[in-house]
Amino acid sequence: MTEQSFPSGPHELELEMLELRPALEAVLMVADQPLDHLTLAQAVGHPPTDVADALGALADEYTRQGRGFELRNVAGGWRFFTREEFAGAVERFILDGQQARLTQAALETMAVVAYRQPISRSRISAIRGVNVDGVVRTLVTRGLIEEGGNDAESGAVLYRTTSYFLERMGLGSIGELPDIAQHLPEMEDMEDEGLAGADDVLGALAAEQGLTQEQDAIDDDPTPTDVTDQEDDRG
């Protein structure tokens, strides 16, 4: 049997003496993004397999105890989240009773990107029937979508969702997006019938996770756009 190796560092001896679960809780408490089990193993000085098992056990323990928070595996890592049934208390504390959800324009645009990515602004505009430049800039600024290369034929910038989007939606990967096939057509402005109901599905996820935006959000330009008349997305 090979000797188990531990991460090296200036506090190696102290780290090896720490209890695993409390050490994980201490690190996760200050993390500002999801941490995978390898990163956590290096931080607490325990083997990655033990850390992975402990994370799953902690998540189950918090659920059994009915804690106000939960430990989730999202966007490739682990992070503490407020448990859904107590989200209202957190919203009241942070927003002073004023709920500021994503606008309908932002939800519809984000739904198009999520279910049709990678996709260009001109294609999003063609699907939604309005100019989406403003709301795309807003979503990029807030880290929910990002540039993901260029179209091979036109050179247009393509957009995709980010790991922050997965984190805020409580998803582990894009493959976990809810199926929209069972939803009736409700997005009358969308020309792509395959996306009917996508904004409602994504909106429900956003509401569950408390995804908010400021009151001065930029909405769409209501002027309808024709993909043949729209400027090139290059640059």
Side-chain angles (χ1 to χ4, degrees):
M1 178 181 294
T2 59
E3 183 179 353
Q4 186 67 261
S5 61
F6 292 88
S8 59
H11 307 293
E12 180 178 358
L13 293 179
E14 291 86 350
L15 285 174
E16 290 185 23
M17 296 173 61
L18 294 175
E19 290 186 41
L20 177 54
R21 290 192 183 187
L24 287 173
E25 290 175 327
V27 174
L28 289 166
M29 190 66 68
V30 298
D32 60 358
Q33 61 184 359
L35 301 176
D36 60 38
H37 72 287
L38 297 176
T39 301
L40 288 167
Q42 184 175 5
V44 301
H46 284 264
T49 53
D50 291 351
V51 170
D53 292 340
L55 288 167
L58 281 173
D60 293 340
E61 180 179 310
Y62 298 147
T63 298
R64 287 196 309 271
Q65 294 177 350
R67 299 290 188 89
F69 60 89
E70 59 184 332
L71 183 59
R72 292 190 206 162
N73 187 354
V74 297
W78 294 83
R79 187 177 183 184
F80 284 126
F81 285 84
T82 300
R83 199 169 296 279
E84 181 181 348
E85 52 263 43
F86 303 111
V90 177
E91 288 182 357
R92 283 192 294 272
F93 173 72
I94 295 177
L95 303 175
D96 193 25
Q98 297 181 2
Q99 295 183 351
R101 301 292 183 186
L102 282 172
T103 64
Q104 185 65 23
L107 281 174
E108 291 183 7
T109 300
M110 198 160 63
V112 174
V113 176
Y115 284 94
R116 290 288 184 268
Q117 62 184 308
I119 188 171
S120 67
R121 285 200 311 268
S122 60
R123 179 56 183 156
I124 299 171
S125 294
I127 290 174
R128 293 206 51 231
V130 292
N131 188 308
V132 298
D133 287 357
V135 74
V136 165
R137 284 194 297 270
T138 297
L139 293 174
V140 169
T141 299
R142 292 178 181 173
L144 294 168
I145 65 174
E146 64 184 359
E147 294 184 5
N150 298 84
D151 182 77
E153 295 183 0
S154 67
V157 174
L158 301 176
Y159 292 89
R160 63 190 179 195
T161 53
T162 64
S163 58
Y164 180 64
F165 166 86
L166 294 176
E167 178 187 339
R168 295 308 304 269
M169 291 295 171
L171 302 172
S173 68
I174 289 299
E176 294 181 12
L177 279 170
D179 183 14
I180 59 177
Q182 304 300 322
H183 291 261
L184 295 175
E186 294 182 358
M187 294 172 68
E188 296 179 357
D189 290 338
M190 281 199 176
E191 298 178 7
D192 189 335
E193 295 180 357
L195 286 173
D199 65 329
D200 288 339
V201 174
L202 210 59
L205 280 178
E208 289 175 5
Q209 305 305 324
L211 185 56
T212 62
Q213 68 172 20
E214 292 82 356
Q215 297 288 351
D216 60 348
I218 301 175
D219 283 345
D220 292 329
D221 179 346
T223 306
T225 59
D226 188 323
V227 67
T228 58
D229 296 331
Q230 188 154 320
E231 292 184 359
D232 190 359
D233 279 331
R234 291 187 181 87

